[in-house]
């Protein structure tokens, strides 16, 4: 009999993929989940009493900036930030330099991740060559090299005919198509949500319709092609309504929402804080209410961070000049816990949105404590407060920087190895 | 022999299984003429056949011309570059003028789907569709059936995989119809960008990937990637990726049934949709398709121009 290598003792083990919720010991042998149940085995033991033991989080949407923008982040630092946030599998977007639009770049990312990342990194390939929205990227070869989905994230696929072809071509290879839904003509270079705040502070806004009209177009193309479609970071009430209708029509669609779009409104931009500048922009309280309702009724499948590191030189500039996006891996869990406090989701449902639900969207085979599964596990402390003043990311661009948030990741385990301890 | 019930051959869609078999049987008879030292019979002596080819073609036009000549018909060729249409004449005017010269058969190749149907309504001559747009290419499907029947002894019950640009292929449409009518199981494999919506309603099974489509198939037919689509034209990223996943290369060929035969309507993009070693290999019946083309077209000219069977 193999000896356990790690025992997570006495925690409340919650695995939404198996509707499991019990005080128990989780035993890891050879990097895999060996058993859940009382054990007397002697091994390295972590006392988890009073804590939650859950599958490691899965993030469908991060930017690791490697290759090309390593001054913002690289695969190693982004993976450390992920581990600190409880994420054991992260999917990195292709808007690197060069972009991940061909097999050679995919292979580079896969190799760098194997060498340097402490969590599982699964690349997302480009939809179009050079992310230019003109012609299809080599999805077949990228799939063979390891991509799990395609997206031109950061940019929408504006051309409807190309989007149709992308959906058809991706379907051929069983790849979901992830859309950054933003009609650039309607957005007109808007820097924030178009509304009372943008009008008052004199910044060019973009209407929420810039997102929802793109979603509406795409949903009709999904109906035409039957392809798997996933909307990244939805932010508007109208998008939620459209996706709810699409799911009622049994279209093969999914979507994600970020913790920041559930937490902040465009009021965060009122003092020209560039850390609140992101794409899609922060919206309104009505939109947040709709997003929460969408999470609760299953319209929104999962939570993804859109972790978007930028250096101070990208952010310490005029609002109009600042880059879009914020880091999110290390604050995601604490921000999501508010959904529990507000009664939007049960703890099990919330953990589901962070684990097996996203894993299912990209068919990653992760996010579960099933016996025999890789031991990707997180130990959570729901009560501990922590001031966000340290980060494993290379960047600090977060509107939550310096704030004290409740909810902490005590341990993160990947393949049976402890890759993060809160005490460190 | 049962009289042929059609005045024109506009598409396989109009033919019954029995009529297709009738054409194939007759074709086999006429093929024998091509093997004689004097390759000519007087069957259609005094009949006039106009080959009106308003889209480029070498093999189909030559095949029709030879078929007519071996039956002693007078064959006149008009090709796109020399026709009146380039001078602004409408297709209707062209057809009426040709009709005024009293031809017996007009063989039409045209870039527009439905063009043969259009002129058939305005001429007394029999019209044979030699390929219209992305609609049908019935004589190609008939020669494919004839070739398969010769090599496999039957068409009924066979599994036939057609791979490539189905969306823009009139050959694929006619083949799906003809093979289906004769009782074969047809599989289509292509990237989804090249699979027309609703093609399965014509009676074919659709495959995303080529390997499972050719697995166990008795016949594998590779379609040509049209020159204008070689750069992808938005339908695939490039010829390298196309060739890797939807071309019949040597690696892909390991999935072939040992006795599978390989077909291609030509002209072949060697190394793109079909590896040269396979195109020229023992399983290839591609040149046999061309041979059967003459027989099938002789049979159709005979049936439609009303030749006398006694000859």
């Amino acid at each position: 009999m193999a000896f356990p290598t790690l025992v997570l003792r006495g925690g409340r083990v919650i695995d939404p993929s198996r509707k499991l919720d019990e005080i128990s010991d989780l035993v890891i042998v050879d990097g895999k989940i060996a058993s859940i149940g009382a054990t007397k085995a002697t091994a390295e033991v972590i006392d988890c009493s009073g804590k939650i033991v859950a599958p490691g989080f899965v993030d469908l949407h991060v930017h690791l900036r490697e290759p090309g923008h390593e001054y913002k982040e690289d695969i190693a630092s982004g993976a450390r930030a992920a581990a600190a946030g409880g994420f054991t599998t992260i999917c990195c977007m292709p808007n690197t330099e060069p972009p991940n639009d061909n097999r050679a770049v995919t292979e580079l990312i896969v190799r760098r991740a194997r060498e340097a990342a402490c969590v599982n990194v699964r690349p997302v390939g480009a939809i179009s060559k050079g992310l230019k929205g003109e012609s299809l990227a080599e999805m077949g070869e990228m799939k063979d090299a390891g991509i799990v989905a395609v997206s031109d994230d950061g940019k929408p696929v504006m051309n409807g005919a190309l989007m149709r072809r992308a959906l058809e071509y991706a379907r051929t290879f069983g790849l979901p198509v992830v859309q950054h839904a933003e009609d650039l003509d309607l957005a007109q270079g808007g820097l924030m949500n178009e509304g009372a705040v943008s009008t008052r502070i004199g910044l060019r806004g973009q209407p929420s319709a810039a997102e929802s009209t793109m979603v509406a177009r795409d949903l009709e193309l999904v109906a035409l092609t039957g392809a798997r479609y996933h909307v990244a970071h939805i932010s508007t009430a109208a998008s939620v309504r459209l996706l709810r209708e699409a799911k009622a029509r049994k279209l093969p669609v999914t979507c994600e929402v970020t913790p920041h779009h559930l937490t902040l409104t465009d009021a965060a931009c009122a003092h020209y804080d560039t850390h609140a500048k992101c794409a899609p922009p922060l919206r309104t309280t009505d939109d947040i209410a709709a997003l929460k309702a969408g999470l609760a009724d299953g319209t929104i499948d999962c939570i993804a961070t859109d972790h978007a590191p930028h250096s101070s030189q990208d952010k310490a500039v005029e609002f109009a000049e600042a880059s879009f996006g914020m880091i999110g891996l290390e604050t995601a869990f604490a921000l999501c816990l508010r959904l529990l406090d507000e009664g939007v989701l049960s703890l099990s449902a919330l953990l589901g949105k962070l684990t097996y639900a996203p894993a299912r969207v990209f068919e990653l085979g992760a996010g579960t404590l099933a016996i025999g599964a890789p031991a990707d596990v997180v130990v959570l402390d729901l009560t501990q407060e922590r001031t966000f003043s340290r980060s494993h990311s290379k960047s600090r661009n977060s509107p939550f920087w310096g704030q004290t948030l409740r909810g902490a990741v005590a341990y993160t385990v990947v393949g049976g190895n402890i890759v993060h301890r809160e005490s460190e | 022999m049962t009289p042929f019930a059609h005045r024109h051959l506009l598409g396989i869609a109009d033919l019954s299984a029995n009529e297709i078999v009738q054409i194939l049987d007759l074709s086999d008879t006429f093929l024998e003429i091509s093997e004689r030292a004097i390759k000519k019979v007087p069957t259609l002596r005094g009949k006039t056949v106009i080959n009106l080819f308003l889209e480029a073609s070498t093999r189909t036009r030559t095949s029709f011309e030879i078929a007519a000549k071996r039956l002693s018909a007078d064959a006149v060729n008009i090709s796109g570059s020399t026709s009146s249409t380039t001078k602004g004449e409408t297709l209707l005017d062209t057809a009426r003028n040709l009709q005024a010269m009293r031809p017996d058969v007009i063989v039409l190749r045209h870039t527009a789907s439905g063009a043969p149907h259009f002129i058939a309504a305005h001429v007394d001559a029999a019209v044979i569709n030699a390929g219209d747009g992305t609609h049908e290419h019935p004589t190609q499907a008939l020669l494919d059936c004839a070739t398969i029947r010769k090599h496999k002894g039957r068409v009924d019950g066979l599994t036939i995989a057609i791979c490539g640009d189905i969306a823009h292929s009139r050959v694929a449409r006619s083949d799906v119809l003809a093979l289906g009518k004769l009782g074969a199981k047809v599989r289509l494999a292509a990237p989804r960008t090249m699979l027309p919506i609703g093609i399965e309603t014509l009676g074919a099974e659709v495959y995303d990937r080529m390997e499972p489509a050719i697995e166990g198939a008795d016949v594998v037919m590779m379609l040509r990637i049209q020159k204008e689509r070689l750069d992808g034209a938005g339908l695939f990223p490039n010829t390298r990726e196309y060739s890797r996943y939807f071309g019949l290369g040597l690696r892909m060929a390991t999935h072939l049934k040992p006795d599978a035969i390989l077909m291609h309507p030509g002209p072949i993009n060697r190394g793109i949709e079909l590896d040269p070693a396979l195109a020229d290999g023992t399983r290839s019946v591609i040149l046999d398709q061309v041979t059967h083309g003459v027989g099938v077209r002789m049979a159709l000219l005979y049936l439609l121009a009303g030749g006398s069977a006694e000859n």
Side-chain angles (χ1 to χ4, degrees):
Chain A
M1 189 193 135
F3 290 100
T5 42
L6 184 63
V7 177
L8 304 178
R9 175 155 289 165
R12 181 179 162 197
V13 181
I14 302 180
D15 181 3
S17 78
R18 299 197 299 154
K19 301 206 187 319
L20 181 77
D21 186 348
E22 62 183 39
I23 306 285
S24 196
D25 296 346
L26 186 143
V27 181
I28 295 168
V29 177
D30 294 336
K32 294 191 163 55
I33 309 282
S35 65
I36 296 172
T39 177
K40 291 179 182 160
T42 52
E44 183 176 358
V45 174
I46 295 175
D47 177 15
C48 297
S49 51
K51 297 190 174 68
I52 307 294
V53 176
F57 300 157
V58 174
D59 193 345
L60 300 185
H61 196 139
V62 302
H63 297 271
L64 297 181
R65 307 300 189 206
E66 182 179 353
H69 300 120
E70 287 86 349
Y71 70 101
K72 296 172 191 257
E73 193 80 288
D74 59 29
I75 289 171
S77 66
R80 281 195 300 275
F87 291 90
T88 54
T89 298
I90 54 178
C91 302
C92 57
M93 286 295 169
N95 59 340
T96 47
E97 186 56 47
N100 182 16
D101 66 353
N102 67 74
R103 170 179 217 132
V105 179
T106 305
E107 284 174 346
L108 170 76
I109 293 168
V110 169
R111 180 170 58 78
R112 289 291 299 137
R114 199 170 51 230
E115 291 167 356
C118 61
V119 302
N120 305 302
V121 174
R122 311 291 295 272
V124 175
I127 292 172
S128 67
K129 289 192 188 102
L131 308 171
K132 288 189 176 133
E134 290 165 4
S135 59
L136 297 174
E138 294 155 35
M139 297 182 195
E141 297 209 326
M142 288 193 289
K143 162 101 182 190
D144 284 353
I147 64 164
V148 292
V150 289
S151 179
D152 275 0
D153 184 64
K155 293 175 183 171
V157 178
M158 281 291 285
N159 182 314
L162 179 70
M163 188 62 181
R164 175 207 175 150
R165 296 305 177 202
L167 287 163
E168 290 174 336
Y169 198 69
R171 184 182 169 192
T172 306
F173 295 97
L175 290 165
V177 176
V178 182
Q179 175 73 295
H180 170 118
E182 176 184 355
D183 183 321
L184 296 175
D185 296 329
L186 277 172
Q188 280 198 302
L191 306 167
M192 62 176 292
N193 183 55
E194 181 176 332
V197 180
S198 67
T199 298
R200 179 158 51 79
I201 67 175
L203 284 179
R204 180 187 293 179
Q206 59 167 279
S208 61
E211 174 176 302
S212 51
T213 54
M214 186 63 105
V215 171
R217 179 202 76 176
D218 286 350
L219 292 174
E220 293 310 310
L221 295 176
V222 172
L224 175 68
T225 60
R228 271 284 295 113
Y229 173 71
H230 178 78
V231 194
H233 44 52
I234 73 165
S235 69
T236 79
S239 298
V240 175
R241 176 170 49 74
L242 289 164
L243 281 152
R244 186 176 289 125
E245 289 165 7
K247 290 193 167 187
R249 290 163 70 191
K250 306 283 183 212
L251 295 180
V253 297
T254 52
C255 65
E256 70 192 28
V257 64
T258 74
H260 52 275
H261 285 106
L262 289 165
T263 314
L264 299 173
T265 67
D266 53 0
C269 302
H271 302 287
Y272 306 100
D273 178 5
T274 56
H275 288 146
K277 182 180 177 184
C278 53
L282 300 170
R283 304 287 186 185
T284 67
T285 50
D286 286 349
D287 291 307
I288 289 179
L291 292 170
K292 287 176 179 171
L295 267 177
D297 73 9
T299 300
I300 300 176
D301 300 84
C302 61
I303 294 166
T305 65
D306 193 7
H307 177 79
H310 289 293
S311 75
S312 60
Q313 75 192 58
D314 303 316
K315 284 292 194 179
V317 293
E318 305 89 311
F319 198 93
E321 301 302 317
S323 298
F324 289 93
M326 61 183 77
I327 56 172
L329 284 165
E330 292 155 301
T331 50
F333 176 62
L335 295 177
C336 288
L337 262 191
R338 298 177 186 181
L339 298 168
L340 184 64
D341 303 337
E342 294 164 4
V344 176
L345 294 174
S346 67
L347 181 57
S348 178
L350 170 62
L351 292 173
K353 302 280 187 194
L354 287 163
T355 58
Y356 84 101
R360 205 171 43 184
V361 169
F362 285 180
E363 296 178 19
L364 301 173
T368 176
L369 297 179
I371 306 301
D376 297 345
V377 189
V378 67
V379 180
L380 304 166
D381 187 324
L382 302 188
T383 54
Q384 193 191 338
E385 295 197 335
R386 180 173 165 267
T387 301
F388 187 36
S389 56
R390 290 178 298 142
S391 174
H392 292 82
S393 171
K394 286 187 180 180
S395 293
R396 299 286 177 272
N397 56 306
S398 167
F400 303 102
W401 190 256
Q403 288 187 23
T404 299
L405 306 171
R406 187 171 57 75
V409 177
Y411 295 92
T412 305
V413 177
V414 174
N417 298 313
I418 299 169
V419 295
H420 164 77
R421 296 173 200 260
E422 169 61 17
S423 49
E424 284 171 1
Chain B
M1 190 194 286
T2 330
F4 198 59
H6 302 274
R7 207 155 72 76
H8 309 286
L9 178 70
L10 302 179
I12 295 294
D14 306 324
L15 299 181
S16 68
N18 280 340
E19 287 165 340
I20 293 173
V21 171
Q22 183 189 355
I23 295 166
L24 301 187
D25 290 345
L26 195 53
S27 165
D28 287 346
T29 323
F30 279 131
L31 263 187
E32 181 266 324
I33 295 167
S34 300
E35 303 303 324
R36 296 182 190 169
I38 311 261
K39 301 181 181 62
K40 208 173 186 77
V41 291
T43 313
L44 292 186
R45 194 173 51 201
K47 304 282 184 184
T48 305
V49 175
I50 296 179
N51 289 323
L52 179 58
F53 276 63
L54 299 180
E55 182 192 81
S57 160
T58 306
R59 114 194 38 218
T60 305
R61 201 205 48 185
T62 308
S63 180
F64 267 109
E65 184 177 351
I66 288 176
K69 286 179 169 165
R70 287 193 180 156
L71 293 172
S72 300
D74 298 309
V76 180
N77 295 317
I78 307 170
S79 65
S81 54
T82 59
S83 78
S84 307
T85 54
T86 51
K87 298 171 197 154
E89 187 174 81
T90 66
L91 180 62
L92 183 57
D93 282 338
T94 303
R96 281 175 172 156
N97 279 280
L98 294 176
Q99 177 58 40
M101 299 177 219
R102 305 289 179 260
D104 298 282
V105 181
I106 297 175
V107 178
L108 178 68
R109 155 80 54 108
H110 202 284
T111 51
S113 301
H117 307 66
F118 173 68
I119 72 156
H122 293 96
V123 296
D124 297 328
V127 175
I128 298 179
N129 181 357
D132 62 325
T134 54
H135 174 230
E136 277 227 48
H137 192 353
T139 57
Q140 177 72 39
L142 292 166
L143 73 87
D144 287 340
C145 291
T147 309
I148 292 168
R149 202 174 69 158
K150 181 190 158 198
H151 286 272
K152 291 288 176 187
R154 66 197 164 106
V155 177
D156 181 39
L158 296 180
T159 297
I160 295 163
I162 305 178
C163 309
D165 188 357
I166 312 290
H168 301 91
S169 174
R170 53 193 173 212
V171 175
R173 281 172 179 72
S174 290
D175 270 325
V176 167
L177 292 170
L179 295 166
K181 284 174 196 242
L182 295 184
K185 214 170 91 183
V186 182
R187 299 169 174 176
L188 302 175
R192 287 272 166 185
T193 47
M194 292 182 153
L195 282 167
I197 303 269
I199 186 72
E200 61 283 349
T201 62
L202 297 189
E205 229 185 312
V206 167
Y207 287 73
D208 280 323
R209 303 301 289 269
M210 209 173 136
E211 293 88 342
I214 65 173
E215 206 92 53
D218 302 292
V219 179
V220 173
M221 193 182 299
M222 301 305 299
L223 296 178
R224 170 181 169 76
I225 293 294
Q226 309 277 334
K227 269 258 166 4
E228 61 271 26
R229 280 182 270 278
L230 276 181
D231 65 349
L235 300 179
F236 54 89
N238 53 37
T239 47
R240 182 169 49 85
E241 176 155 315
Y242 180 85
S243 186
R244 182 182 186 89
Y245 296 101
F246 291 99
L248 188 58
L250 296 176
R251 197 167 39 109
M252 188 66 80
T254 60
H255 294 271
L256 290 171
K257 214 171 144 180
D259 64 344
I261 56 171
L262 304 182
M263 302 176 70
H264 192 295
I268 306 169
N269 296 303
R270 287 176 176 257
I272 296 177
E273 69 259 1
L274 188 57
D275 188 279
L278 295 167
D280 303 331
T282 50
R283 286 188 283 214
S284 169
V285 298
I286 292 169
L287 293 176
D288 226 26
Q289 291 174 265
V290 180
T291 303
H292 279 89
V294 175
V296 158
R297 286 161 184 136
M298 288 169 78
L300 283 166
L301 290 172
Y302 169 79
L303 290 171
L304 294 173
S308 81
E310 285 69 46
N311 297 305

